[in-house]
């Protein structure tokens, strides 16, 4: 890794990305992609029936979506990007080099989308008062907005699909083969009805807020939106099925196939169960909304909503199976090393090519064995410093020291309280990609395995949080240190 | 400790010819920044007029008129920022990501801070009339929004500044130490002053195009409103003649000469003088002729903004170009070694330890 290492030692780095991404998916699918066609349809229906109540309801829902999408929605979209570039700069930088034009196009569509939602919301009242012709135009604006929201999603899905399975891109490095990867269409087919159903559930919830209990219109609105949701629910199941049956194909050429297949089978069963539960809860609630609308409590809608979230969350995890242990399938591992880099790094060591070192804080230096002479202490600290650098460069993208998915909790579970000596841990780490299909092989040299082992042993006695470059900064390796490291490696290699 | 780091770059080709990327970066960044100016300046002016509105109701109405512009401007500002972000990521990968990581906690806090600022802006605007009775709470919101809008640009500026100086990377310990690098505050002051100035021009545009009834509803004469706009445009611009050169003089020295940068900013100063003169003349004009020079003023402003963007880019290039050569050489050297190691491994018959 050749950037200063940003690191969150409590929640873990993946947590940062996941939180922002889930919020974004929720707002994007539920309030934009799925909701805009629903709002436009309501406006159209109100116009057709000459019933202003539909118009008022549609506007209220739109206004709510406008407030959320232009704040949380827009900013979490940028936030995914900022967080990934902090946590995995090499992966996002590589993706941008390949997908620049996709992102650029996406951006143009996004500009259009924002202008349309501004126009659609801010002209609603004015245009509605200017006669039926103008109203028709406004409705068309609504459908245009719905279309562009969907296109934004369609482009992003291509990039997501690419990260899972770059298909033929690896051999011909061209943009279009990257885009048209084998999971693209099934994934898009799944997300589209999912977004519509999600929007339906949210709209049912909003209707309960925006209409009065005694109001006969409330029933009418609940019924109509329930039908909308009902219409999409089966497609969620069908496309979900299609999607997950295409996954094993995409996984075929991965490493660690047997373990991955097992893990995926687990995922698959669970996905099916969750999907069925979700669709059933949707159907139940929707039945209720249709037949007994006046008895529908708000909490009842929270259930299918969370079921959908649960399903979406579980669904998003499939990417881990397919691309594991890569960030970009077959090209780059999740630790930021390219597959091609391995021969060099394992020969010479990752530290040889690392520009930065991650300084130890005073708290991190505590817990050394007592009664060390001063030179021994210095030598020990130097080893620990190098071991920490190995950890930061090869493990820290996925593991914390003492927080979520911490390396110490794993070691504690595996080795208990006996001393975690390098002899004990190094052997495991060398073969860790066999033990856990999520993990890439260790990219460093034999000597670095020992250094990492020494550091892990230190962590057994030292519980201080590991700071990232955002607070502790970096030390710049001078060239000389790099050369010395190479030399010891070579002498070792010769000895072997 | 004061070693200059020379990291490796991403070993993939640029997705587009460099001039195209530079074009995207400069043009869309300037558009972005103009709308950010409107947004931030709009928040300041709203607060200012709202405070005056405590004594004289019509100022409160004026504040509302200005607040109403922020909603659209802020969305456009955000969306226009994405393209330049994409371009800077591509063109300055090593520099930009390094600066981001070194100030990471603050850098990522941009997201929640902007969300909060935007939500409060909405509350402030859409509950304006409902909050009549809680005037101080309402003004409190405007104050919080203004403070957020004051702080967020500082995070961006610190990053943009830090990325230019690889020799400082090894000495940075978090956001605040990056904030202390030379040039940050003078550039910041330069930006902040531009906000009310740009918003002043926006006011002129706004009140020139409103119809008679709308103007009558504000309780002001049209000429008064337009004059206020020009005053907002003129006085901060006048101050820029001190702050701008200060920002220029505090630019750290670069290895490459920056004559062209100084030339571009020099021309910008001359053009600004002409523009400021016109603005001042406008503030003195009577109702019949006020606004006569609006188009030329906007045109000159466009030229100034363009020159600022160009000068900024030239300086950035001067600052990083020599280092970028080192990075390029390092990356090539690394890739050669990678190839050699892979050949060696293939010759040994095994595909090292990655294979199953």
């Amino acid at each position: 890794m050749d950037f200063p290492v940003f690191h969150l030692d409590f929640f873990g780095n993946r947590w940062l990305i996941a939180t922002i991404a889930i919020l974004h998916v929720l707002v994007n699918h539920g309030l934009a992609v799925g909701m805009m066609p629903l709002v436009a349809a309501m406006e159209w229906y109100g116009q057709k029936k000459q019933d202003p109540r539909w118009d008022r309801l549609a506007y209220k829902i739109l206004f709510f979506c406008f407030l959320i999408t232009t704040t949380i929605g827009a900013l979490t979209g940028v936030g995914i990007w900022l967080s990934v570039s902090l946590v995995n700069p090499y992966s996002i930088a590589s993706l941008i080099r390949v997908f620049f034009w996709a992102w650029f196009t996406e951006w143009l569509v996004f500009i259009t989308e924002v202008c349309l939602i501004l126009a659609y919301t801010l002209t609603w009242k004015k245009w509605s008062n200017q006669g039926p012709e103008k109203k028709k135009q406004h409705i068309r604006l609504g459908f245009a907005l719905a279309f562009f929201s969907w296109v934004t999603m369609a482009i992003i899905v291509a990039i997501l699909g690419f990260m899972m399975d770059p298909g033929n891109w690896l051999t011909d490095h061209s943009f279009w083969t990257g885009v048209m990867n084998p999971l693209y269409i099934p994934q898009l087919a799944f997300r589209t009805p999912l977004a519509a159903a999600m929007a339906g559930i949210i709209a049912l919830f909003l209707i309960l807020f925006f209409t009065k209990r005694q109001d006969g219109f409330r029933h009418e609105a609940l019924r109509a939106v329930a039908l909308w949701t009902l219409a999409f629910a089966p497609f969620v199941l069908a496309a979900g099925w299609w999607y997950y049956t295409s996954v094993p194909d995409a996984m075929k050429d991965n490493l660690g196939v047997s373990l991955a297949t097992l893990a995926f089978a687990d995922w698959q069963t669970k996905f099916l169960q969750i999907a069925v539960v979700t669709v059933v809860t949707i159907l139940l609630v929707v039945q209720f909304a249709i037949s007994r609308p006046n008895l529908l409590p708000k909490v009842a809608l929270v259930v299918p909503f969370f079921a959908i979230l649960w399903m979406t969350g579980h669904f998003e995890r499939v990417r881990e199976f397919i691309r594991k242990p890569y960030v970009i399938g077959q090209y780059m591992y999740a630790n930021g090393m390219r597959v091609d880099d391995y021969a060099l790094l394992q020969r010479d060591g990752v530290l040889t090519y690392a520009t930065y070192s991650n300084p130890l804080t005073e708290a991190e230096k505590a817990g050394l064995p007592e009664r060390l002479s001063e030179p021994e202490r210095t030598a020990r600290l130097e080893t620990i410093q190098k071991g920490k650098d190995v950890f930061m460069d090869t493990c820290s993208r996925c593991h914390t020291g003492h927080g979520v998915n911490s390396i110490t909790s794993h070691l504690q579970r595996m080795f208990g309280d006996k001393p975690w000596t390098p002899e004990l841990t190094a052997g495991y780490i060398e073969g860790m990609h066999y033990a856990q299909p999520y993990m890439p092989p260790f990219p460093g040299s034999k000597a670095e395995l020992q250094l990492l082992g020494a550091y892990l042993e230190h962590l057994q006695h030292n519980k201080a949080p590991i700071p990232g470059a955002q607070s502790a900064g970096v030390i710049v390796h001078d060239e000389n240190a790099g050369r010395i490291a190479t030399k010891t490696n070579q002498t070792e290699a010769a000895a072997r | 400790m004061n070693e200059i780091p020379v990291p490796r770059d991403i070993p993939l080709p640029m997705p587009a010819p460099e001039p195209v990327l530079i074009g995207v970066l400069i043009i869309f960044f300037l558009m972005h920044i103009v709308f950010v100016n409107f947004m931030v300046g709009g928040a300041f002016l709203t607060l200012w007029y709202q405070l005056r509105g405590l004594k004289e109701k019509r100022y409160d109405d004026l504040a509302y008129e200005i607040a109403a512009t922020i909603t659209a401007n802020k969305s456009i500002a955000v969306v226009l920022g994405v393209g330049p972000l994409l371009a800077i990521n591509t063109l300055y990968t090593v520099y930009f990501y390094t600066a981001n990581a070194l100030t990471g906690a603050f850098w990522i806090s941009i997201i929640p801070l902007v969300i909060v600022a935007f939500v409060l802006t909405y509350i402030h605007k859409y509950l304006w009339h409902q909050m009549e009775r809680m005037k101080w709470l309402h003004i409190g919101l405007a104050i919080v929004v203004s403070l957020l809008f004051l702080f967020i640009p500082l995070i961006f500026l610190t990053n943009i500044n830090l990325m230019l100086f690889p020799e400082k990377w090894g000495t940075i310990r978090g956001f605040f130490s990056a904030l202390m690098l030379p040039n940050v505050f003078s550039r910041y002051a330069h930006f902040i002053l531009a906000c009310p100035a740009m918003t002043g021009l926006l006011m002129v545009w706004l009140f020139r195009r409103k119809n008679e009834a709308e103007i009558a509803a504000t309780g002001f004469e049209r000429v008064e409103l337009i004059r206020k706009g020009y005053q907002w445009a003129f006085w901060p611009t006048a101050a820029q003649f001190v702050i701008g050169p200060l920002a220029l003089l505090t630019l750290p020295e670069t290895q490459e000469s920056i004559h062209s940068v100084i030339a571009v900013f020099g021309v910008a100063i001359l053009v600004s003088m002409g523009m400021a003169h016109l603005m001042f003349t406008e503030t003195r004009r009577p109702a019949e002729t006020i606004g006569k020079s609006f188009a030329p003023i906007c045109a000159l402003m466009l030229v100034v903004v363009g020159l600022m963007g160009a000068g900024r880019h030239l300086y950035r290039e001067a600052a990083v170009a020599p280092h970028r050569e080192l990075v390029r050489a390092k990356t090539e050297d690394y890739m050669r070694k990678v190839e050699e190691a892979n050949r060696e491994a293939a010759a040994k018959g095994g595909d090292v330890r990655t294979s199953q």
Side-chain angles (χ1 to χ4, degrees):
Chain A
M1 174 123 145
D2 220 21
F3 291 101
V5 184
F6 173 88
H7 183 69
L8 297 171
D9 204 54
F10 185 64
F11 285 116
N13 299 308
R14 286 142 54 104
W15 165 87
L16 178 70
I17 300 177
T19 313
I20 298 178
I22 287 178
L23 252 179
H24 185 70
V25 169
L26 173 66
V27 173
N28 172 275
H29 286 17
L31 296 181
V33 177
M35 195 67 97
M36 290 307 123
L38 180 56
V39 168
M42 280 187 187
E43 191 190 9
W44 166 81
Y45 190 72
Q47 161 79 1
K48 192 172 146 222
K49 293 274 166 199
Q50 287 300 309
D51 185 345
R53 293 175 307 176
W54 279 108
D55 204 79
R56 277 199 297 272
L57 178 64
Y59 180 72
K60 280 182 181 159
I61 294 179
L62 173 67
F63 190 67
F64 173 80
C65 294
F66 171 79
L67 294 184
I68 305 291
T69 52
T70 55
T71 53
I72 300 177
L75 269 303
T76 48
V78 182
I80 294 180
W81 202 351
L82 296 194
S83 61
V84 177
S85 58
L86 282 178
V87 174
N88 281 329
Y90 31 76
S91 80
I92 190 90
S94 307
L95 286 170
I96 288 179
R97 297 277 167 107
V98 178
F99 281 115
F100 182 84
W101 292 111
W103 256 310
F104 193 82
T105 315
E106 210 256 347
W107 176 51
L108 298 181
V109 176
F110 180 42
I111 294 181
T112 318
E113 192 187 335
V114 168
C115 292
L116 283 174
I117 194 169
L118 283 170
Y120 189 51
T121 315
L122 302 177
T123 60
W124 188 299
K125 296 201 164 144
K126 205 162 157 198
W127 288 18
S128 299
N129 293 334
Q130 290 174 358
E133 260 323 296
K134 207 70 183 170
K135 186 70 184 166
K136 273 200 194 112
Q137 264 182 26
H138 190 258
I139 294 170
R140 250 179 262 141
L141 196 60
F143 283 109
L145 169 60
F147 175 71
F148 277 100
S149 308
W150 183 83
V151 173
T152 326
M153 179 179 84
I155 297 174
I156 283 296
V157 167
I159 298 174
L160 285 179
F162 172 84
M163 289 170 75
M164 293 194 257
D165 180 15
N168 293 328
W169 176 79
L170 286 171
T171 42
D172 67 12
H173 279 235
S174 100
F175 169 74
W176 283 109
T177 48
V179 172
M180 286 330 261
N181 63 79
L183 284 175
Y184 180 56
I185 303 292
Q187 195 179 162
L188 191 58
F190 177 72
R191 283 182 196 268
T192 306
L194 180 76
M198 219 156 149
I201 297 289
I202 297 175
L204 288 174
F205 194 70
L206 291 177
I207 290 172
L208 294 182
F209 274 96
F210 293 150
T211 58
K212 296 217 168 53
R213 182 177 281 278
Q214 313 80 356
D215 191 348
F217 176 65
R218 174 188 262 199
H219 301 174
E220 206 179 316
L222 285 177
R223 245 183 76 96
V225 175
L227 283 173
W228 160 283
T229 315
L230 195 61
F232 286 101
F235 291 102
V236 174
L237 258 193
W241 182 274
W242 182 22
Y243 179 75
Y244 93 163
T245 47
S246 6
V247 169
D249 246 6
M251 282 170 64
K252 249 194 330 255
D253 353 279
N254 256 5
L255 303 176
V257 175
S258 52
L259 266 168
T261 318
L262 273 182
F264 177 68
D266 269 358
W267 178 90
Q268 211 173 20
T269 334
K270 199 154 166 222
F271 180 70
L272 248 199
Q273 287 163 353
I274 299 178
V276 170
V277 169
T278 306
V279 173
V280 168
T281 37
I282 292 178
L283 292 184
L284 279 178
V285 169
V286 160
Q287 286 305 327
F288 218 86
I290 294 173
S291 56
R292 286 271 183 284
N294 49 341
L295 293 180
L296 188 70
K298 287 187 184 111
V299 279
L301 286 164
V302 175
V303 180
F305 179 69
F306 278 102
I308 289 186
L309 268 192
W310 185 30
M311 180 173 72
T312 318
H314 191 75
F315 167 79
E316 305 286 357
R317 284 198 54 203
V318 76
R319 268 178 278 158
E320 291 183 1
F321 294 94
I322 302 173
R323 69 174 199 222
K324 132 205 57 84
Y326 304 100
V327 251
I328 302 175
Q330 321 286 323
Y331 176 74
M332 181 180 278
Y333 286 115
N335 54 21
M337 320 279 173
R338 294 177 317 135
V339 177
D340 273 354
D341 293 336
Y342 263 61
L344 179 69
L345 298 180
Q346 290 184 332
R347 188 188 74 187
D348 298 349
V350 286
L351 296 189
T352 313
Y353 299 103
T355 306
Y356 304 103
S357 163
N358 312 271
L360 290 165
T361 59
E362 282 312 312
E364 285 181 280
K365 291 178 185 167
L368 291 181
E370 280 159 41
R371 284 199 291 280
L372 285 181
S373 70
E374 202 44 43
E376 277 173 333
R377 205 181 123 81
T378 313
R380 184 60 84 93
L381 279 178
E382 208 169 299
T383 308
I384 292 175
Q385 170 69 68
K386 286 190 181 146
K388 177 182 175 183
D389 287 337
V390 174
F391 177 80
M392 294 304 272
D393 289 348
T394 66
C395 318
S396 72
R397 298 307 79 205
C398 310
H399 292 292
T400 63
H402 306 283
V404 173
N405 194 16
S406 71
I407 190 78
T408 48
S409 65
H410 286 305
L411 294 176
Q412 185 69 34
R413 182 167 43 74
M414 294 163 67
F415 304 119
D417 287 334
K418 59 179 158 174
W420 305 340
T421 56
E423 294 75 49
L424 197 61
T425 50
Y428 173 82
I429 296 170
E430 194 168 12
M432 66 181 190
H433 52 301
Y434 299 115
Q436 272 289 350
Y438 297 104
M439 282 196 277
F442 180 68
S445 65
K446 291 267 187 202
E448 286 174 341
L449 267 178
Q450 298 300 320
L451 292 171
L452 176 59
Y455 177 65
L456 296 178
E457 189 176 13
H458 177 64
L459 286 186
Q460 191 171 22
H461 310 292
N462 182 302
K463 306 273 178 256
I466 304 173
Q470 74 271 26
S471 54
V474 288
I475 299 172
V476 178
H477 267 167
D478 59 36
E479 284 299 312
N480 212 15
R483 268 204 295 282
I484 291 166
T486 327
K487 224 179 238 146
T488 45
N489 277 328
Q490 278 163 356
T491 30
E492 260 189 34
R496 271 187 264 142
Chain B
M1 200 72 115
N2 241 342
E3 289 285 329
I4 300 184
V6 182
R8 275 170 276 134
D9 199 355
I10 303 292
L12 287 171
M14 283 284 163
E18 212 168 289
V20 174
L21 295 174
I22 293 174
V24 170
L25 178 59
I26 297 185
I27 294 170
F28 288 106
F29 178 74
L30 291 177
M31 287 166 67
H32 162 70
I33 224 57
V34 166
F35 280 91
V36 171
N37 285 152
F38 289 157
M39 169 182 94
V40 175
F44 296 164
L45 264 58
T46 302
L47 175 60
W48 171 257
Y49 283 125
Q50 218 185 345
L51 286 172
R52 292 197 64 177
L54 290 172
K55 290 223 177 71
E56 208 177 328
K57 176 74 174 69
R58 60 181 184 155
Y59 278 104
D60 196 68
D61 298 336
L62 178 57
Y64 184 71
E65 290 289 329
I66 296 170
T69 63
I70 304 176
T71 320
N73 286 337
K74 67 140 210 356
S75 283
I76 297 171
V78 167
V79 79
L80 284 178
V82 174
L85 187 64
L86 188 61
I88 203 168
N89 273 272
T90 319
L91 279 168
Y92 298 98
T93 312
V94 167
Y95 303 90
F96 195 62
Y97 288 163
T98 302
N100 296 172
L102 288 172
T103 57
F106 280 83
W107 178 245
I108 195 66
S109 72
I110 285 175
I111 301 300
L113 289 178
V114 175
I115 291 178
V116 171
F118 282 7
V119 169
L120 293 182
T121 309
Y122 278 146
I123 295 177
H124 185 253
K125 174 183 159 186
Y126 287 110
L127 297 183
W128 191 290
H129 302 295
Q130 281 90 325
M131 288 181 85
E132 288 294 322
R133 298 243 209 84
M134 310 171 249
K135 207 65 202 173
W136 278 107
L137 183 63
H138 195 221
I139 289 176
L141 280 180
I143 292 173
V144 175
V145 168
S146 296
L147 289 177
L148 285 170
F149 280 156
L150 271 176
F151 183 59
I152 296 162
L154 195 54
I155 306 180
F156 277 104
L157 236 153
T158 304
N159 263 272
I160 288 295
N161 190 59
L162 175 59
M163 77 177 234
L164 299 180
F165 308 113
E167 68 274 16
K168 295 284 197 285
W169 292 347
T171 66
I172 298 301
R173 299 287 175 266
F175 173 75
F176 289 106
S177 73
L179 193 59
M180 291 306 141
L181 290 183
N183 204 232
V184 173
F185 282 102
S186 49
R187 274 176 82 170
Y188 176 66
H190 195 47
F191 164 80
I192 290 296
L193 274 178
C195 293
M198 289 304 241
T199 311
L201 289 184
L202 180 72
M203 268 177 83
V204 174
W205 176 79
L206 191 71
F207 292 120
R208 266 163 59 97
R209 68 190 278 280
K210 280 198 186 297
N211 63 33
E212 291 306 329
E214 286 167 328
I215 291 290
T218 64
F220 289 94
E221 299 283 329
R222 189 188 295 272
V223 57
E224 282 178 285
L225 293 169
I226 294 178
R227 190 170 295 137
K228 281 186 200 307
Y230 276 128
Q231 281 162 349
W232 280 114
F234 175 73
W235 291 106
T237 303
Q240 297 288 38
F241 288 103
V242 179
I243 299 295
L246 195 67
L248 183 60
L249 290 175
T250 53
L251 280 177
E253 241 179 273
T254 55
Q255 220 175 316
E256 297 203 343
S257 77
I258 53 167
H259 298 311
S260 57
V261 178
I262 294 172
V264 168
F265 285 127
V267 175
I269 292 175
L270 291 179
V271 179
S272 311
M273 284 177 169
M275 179 180 73
H277 174 72
L278 282 183
M279 284 174 178
F280 186 71
T281 319
E282 284 277 62
T283 60
R284 296 293 161 102
R285 286 207 171 111
E288 297 76 48
T289 52
I290 196 165
K292 207 173 78 176
S293 307
F294 186 59
I297 288 175
C298 290
L300 290 178
M301 182 59 103
L302 204 65
V303 174
V304 172
V305 168
L307 288 169
M308 291 289 156
R312 205 166 166 277
H313 180 73
L314 290 174
Y315 178 76
R316 184 163 52 214
E317 280 297 309
V320 306
H323 186 264
R324 194 156 46 189
E325 278 316 308
L326 298 179
V327 169
R328 194 166 289 156
K330 176 108 169 217
T331 311
E332 277 170 14
D333 179 53
Y334 176 80
M335 290 307 279
R336 247 195 320 278
K337 286 186 177 137
V338 164
E339 241 168 70
E340 175 215 303
N342 276 320
R343 264 201 310 276
E344 193 181 298
K348 276 198 206 140
D351 186 19
V352 267
R353 267 174 281 148
T354 52
S355 61
Q356 294 283 314

